[in-house]
Amino acid sequence: MNDVYTQYLKATTKIVNDIAETQMDKIEEASKRFADAISSGGLVHVYGSGHSRMAVEEVFPRYGSYPGFHPIVELSMTYHNQVVGANGQRQAMFIENVEGLAEQILRNFVFYPKDVFLLFSTSGVGNVVIEMAMGAKQRGMYVVEVVAVENSLKTPDKHSSGKKLIDIADLVIDTCVPLGDAAVRVPDLIYPVSPTSTIGNTLVVNLVKARVAELLTQAGQPPLVLTSPHFIGIDASRAVFEATYNDYRRRTLRNQ
């Protein structure tokens, strides 16, 4: 097997094993918090900027996911496909470090103390995501962060408070992503390639979704799940999609 394949497979396998060996108690705590919030009529608000947006979309909506999670995404900090020009990457990277912006985002929504907040950030130093956590705490919510801890510890802080996300969150789940994220060294190329943070985020997200679904079902509140027609047929799949979207609308109506 080509060495670059081996490098990436080894790096991602290590992430999976490290999460399994070191983070499951925290994932269980987060899952219980989320299930309690959802079962009591609350929401799990989910935020990530930059490429962490992918983790937010992994939570909901997609096949195998269900209402109770409320994704919050700002296109100005996540719309990467333009790269340069209007809506370019330079602007997005600048905007995600503007202090004060998070409060303007949060003011668009209604939050209750029984809600919880889930944040994704590989570095945990972006000013907007830090202030999203601060704003959530000020509103009485429990804050869970999914972050690459080693990356965060070794990345200089940016916020005027001197804080990083790991200093604010009530619960920190480590994606166990290696320093610098990219994991493959190509001969004669000085730059590493192939990032791994999406693997860590996605693994954590789907472990949480599975456990929360189990807890809700055990509590007599089985969630409506967006389900592929491969499992239940085309007509049933369409019907459950409509029911799931209606359930999501009902749960988030306070934010409309």
Side-chain angles (χ1 to χ4, degrees), residues 192-231:
V193 298
S194 298
T196 56
S197 55
T198 305
I199 302 294
N201 283 337
T202 300
L203 178 60
V204 170
V205 164
N206 286 294
L207 289 169
V208 166
K209 280 197 294 187
R211 181 61 170 142
V212 172
E214 181 179 51
L215 290 167
L216 290 173
T217 302
Q218 290 172 348
Q221 298 185 38
L224 284 165
V225 181
L226 296 172
T227 303
S228 168
H230 291 292
F231 293 113

Side-chain angles (χ1 to χ4, degrees), residues 102-103 106 111 117 119 128-141 143 168:
E103 183 59 28
L106 291 169
F111 301 102
F117 221 106
L119 297 156
V128 173
V129 73
I130 286 172
E131 291 187 353
M132 291 291 280
M134 290 177 171
K137 293 289 290 290
Q138 290 167 2
R139 289 164 171 81
M141 287 178 279
V143 174
I168 302 165

